[in-house]
Amino acid sequence: MKQREHFGSRFAVIAAMAGSAVGLGNIWRFPYILGEYGGAAFILVYMAACLVLALPIFYAESIIGRSSRSDTFGAMNKLAPGTPWRWVGLLTIISPLLLLGYYSVVGGWSVEYLFKSLSFSFTEVPAEEVPHFFGRFISSTWQPLFAHTAFMALVAGVVLGGVRNGIEKFSKLAMPALFILILVIVGYSLTLPGSFKGVEYLVKPDFSKLSADAIAAALGQAFFSLSLGVGTILTFSSYVKKEENLLVSGVGTAASDLLFAVIAAFAVIPAVFAAGLQPSGGPGLVFETLPYIFNKMGEGMPLLSTLVSSIFFVAILAAALTSAISMLEVGVAFLTDEWGMKRRSATLVLTFFCWSVGILCSLSFGPLADVKVLGLTFFDFLDHLCSDWLLPVGGLLFTTFVGWKMSKDKVRDEFTNGGTVNTRLFDTVYFLMRYVAPVGILVVFATNLLM
Ligand code: PFF
């Protein structure tokens, strides 16, 4: 039997998992969601959601992945042979591919904005013009399609390299670089006059603004941001060595994810306040507001502002790429493990599938804007289907599997590396996986259905 690939070190494991977790969810989504739900209070709820709900599901996926050393489908087949659980495995192969279809469109936007920035587009026109770039760009036919294609090609290129050469090398380079890049933007953002109000907004909680849907939004964001419920963490865990401490890689990943989200908020929100704009600007916040701010900053110093904005979009692109790679890897692992396909053909077939889904999503802002599925455009439909349903359903099934289907001894054995580590914490983590996480997800469902 062919030797399964492994991540080379603990740093590599955390870098690849954090690479999956840190993405558009942190830099594009987190700042506008917290802007919509009230700032500092939302951050606190989000942290609680990560700790008591997301982290246990992270461990459930890690336990299934490492104990089976398989892709999601193979894992279920091995751990619960002959049961319907393998359909859960199949579901979580399809969901990240659908997710990648529309994620790649947003990834493409960051490719385009990097080019716009490098070609001085933000500084050469009057400030009022800049926010309109976004609407004009996404509603056109070809430009977003080219950008989406370029993004998918980059993703396929890295996945083709394999776990050790492709994903690991890329993540090790991109994650620390990204961290430094965002800190540069934070530093810049905090020097802007008026940015202090933004800092206040991020550190002074106002609990009166916290509603039930803010809590549901925090839970949903935790899923999206930690890449849960779609088999990504499960698949990456199947490449983790037996000696690795799962507790540590989970905490390391969750902590870096949270850190990136909070830093991204400190990069974006103070700048929004400095420009006298609204933090509740919605999904356009990064793509509409920041170029406008960069334009204002660039008055008299277009070179400096171009440098800052280019750094920012490189950071977004790097983050989006490492996440997108992890979505594709789930399906590639399935096709190579289960169907015996070569990594190369598996990557190309799945890339083509995601690229085709992405075409529909990209065109849904322009020529296909009137084509609706259940009243939503392709892009909105897929976004809604993935974030509100597929991810939570996947997470619920994984944690139910570990908490109720696997034997407690096997779960303990995997989590504690045969009773050598984390033995004191096991009961708490097990309780969270068995009771707290499933109930928490059901609450998210109930809230989504009722609102
Ligand atoms: N966690 C990624 C982000 O925050 O952008 C999104 C994501 C990646 C979700 C991988 C799911 C996944 F499998």
Side-chain angles (χ1 to χ4, degrees):
M1 206 176 126
K2 153 169 95 85
Q3 181 75 35
R4 199 170 172 78
E5 285 186 275
H6 283 298
F7 284 120
S9 64
R10 171 171 295 174
F11 176 71
V13 171
I14 295 180
M17 287 191 177
S20 167
V22 177
L24 294 169
N26 306 61
I27 299 172
W28 161 71
R29 204 168 189 269
F30 185 71
Y32 85 75
I33 296 275
L34 86 84
E36 270 170 17
Y37 290 103
F42 181 86
I43 300 182
L44 294 178
V45 175
Y46 178 71
M47 285 178 174
C50 286
L51 197 68
V52 296
L53 187 92
L55 208 50
I57 289 164
F58 191 101
Y59 289 133
E61 287 201 34
S62 300
I63 288 165
I64 300 174
R66 197 176 63 168
S67 64
S68 65
R69 311 198 84 43
S70 296
D71 59 282
T72 54
F73 184 78
M76 293 301 178
N77 247 348
K78 257 189 205 169
L79 300 175
T83 65
W85 279 102
R86 69 199 142 125
W87 302 119
V88 175
L90 205 60
L91 170 80
T92 54
I93 283 159
I94 296 165
S95 42
L97 295 174
L98 293 176
L99 186 61
L100 181 53
Y102 81 89
Y103 197 85
S104 167
V105 172
V106 186
W109 297 347
S110 48
V111 174
E112 170 72 16
Y113 268 58
L114 175 60
F115 279 107
K116 275 199 179 0
S117 165
L118 288 172
S119 57
F120 292 88
S121 304
F122 302 141
T123 50
E124 274 176 351
V125 292
E128 311 69 60
E129 270 284 294
V130 181
H132 300 301
F133 282 172
F134 186 66
R136 245 182 275 144
F137 162 63
I138 58 165
S139 60
S140 65
T141 304
W142 295 107
Q143 249 176 312
L145 279 185
F146 284 136
H148 157 60
T149 306
F151 185 80
M152 272 314 304
L154 285 171
V155 175
V158 183
V159 175
L160 274 179
V163 174
R164 201 69 180 256
N165 283 326
I167 298 175
E168 186 174 324
K169 279 199 182 136
F170 190 79
S171 303
K172 269 179 166 173
L173 200 79
M175 298 316 292
L178 177 61
F179 190 70
I180 296 168
L181 287 172
I182 302 193
L183 282 181
V184 170
I185 304 286
V186 173
Y188 196 87
S189 193
L190 294 181
T191 61
L192 296 171
S195 63
F196 188 71
K197 271 204 190 127
V199 176
E200 240 180 20
Y201 182 79
L202 292 172
V203 297
K204 266 201 188 156
D206 175 1
F207 288 100
S208 66
K209 285 206 185 125
L210 218 54
S211 55
D213 56 336
I215 295 169
L219 296 180
Q221 173 65 18
F223 262 98
F224 189 90
S225 197
L226 270 170
S227 310
L228 297 173
V230 288
T232 299
I233 298 303
L234 191 160
T235 304
F236 274 17
S237 301
S238 76
Y239 303 124
V240 170
K241 288 185 185 152
K242 284 286 176 204
E243 312 79 79
E244 201 54 62
N245 187 332
L246 293 184
L247 182 84
V248 174
S249 47
V251 169
T253 305
S256 7
D257 189 59
L258 191 63
L259 191 67
F260 269 99
V262 172
I263 293 179
F266 274 90
V268 175
I269 302 288
V272 167
F273 274 84
L277 298 162
Q278 288 304 319
S280 55
L285 203 65
V286 167
F287 291 102
E288 283 172 345
T289 314
L290 281 178
Y292 174 84
I293 293 162
F294 289 136
N295 174 293
K296 286 281 186 203
M297 286 175 199
E299 282 165 6
M301 11 175 226
L303 256 181
L304 181 66
S305 139
T306 298
L307 184 71
V308 173
S309 59
S310 304
I311 288 174
F312 194 79
F313 288 109
V314 167
I316 293 187
L317 185 57
L321 263 178
T322 47
S323 301
I325 286 161
S326 73
M327 296 177 201
L328 195 58
E329 180 61 22
V330 179
V332 170
F334 168 70
L335 291 183
T336 49
D337 285 2
E338 304 297 323
W339 290 11
M341 269 173 96
K342 293 240 162 18
R343 174 166 271 274
R344 193 182 164 78
S345 344
T347 305
L348 293 178
V349 168
L350 297 181
T351 300
F352 182 76
F353 174 80
C354 299
W355 178 70
S356 312
V357 172
I359 290 180
L360 291 178
C361 295
S362 181
L363 294 178
S364 74
F365 290 99
L368 298 185
D370 293 331
V371 181
K372 302 276 164 75
V373 185
L374 298 179
L376 298 169
T377 63
F378 282 120
F379 185 97
D380 289 344
F381 173 71
L382 270 191
D383 184 24
H384 176 67
L385 180 72
C386 291
S387 326
D388 295 345
W389 295 103
L390 294 180
L391 273 65
V393 166
L396 177 63
L397 292 169
F398 285 140
T399 197
T400 307
F401 185 80
V402 172
W404 298 89
K405 175 76 189 160
M406 282 176 80
S407 81
K408 187 172 179 183
D409 286 344
K410 190 166 171 67
V411 175
R412 182 190 292 112
D413 195 53
E414 197 59 50
F415 188 73
T416 62
N417 292 0
T420 55
V421 290
N422 314 323
T423 42
R424 282 219 230 126
L425 273 173
F426 175 72
D427 282 333
T428 312
V429 172
Y430 192 69
F431 179 78
L432 291 171
M433 288 191 294
R434 194 168 148 95
Y435 300 105
V436 179
V439 171
I441 296 166
L442 289 171
V443 169
V444 177
F445 280 150
T447 324
N448 279 343
L449 279 175
L450 296 176
M451 303 238 170

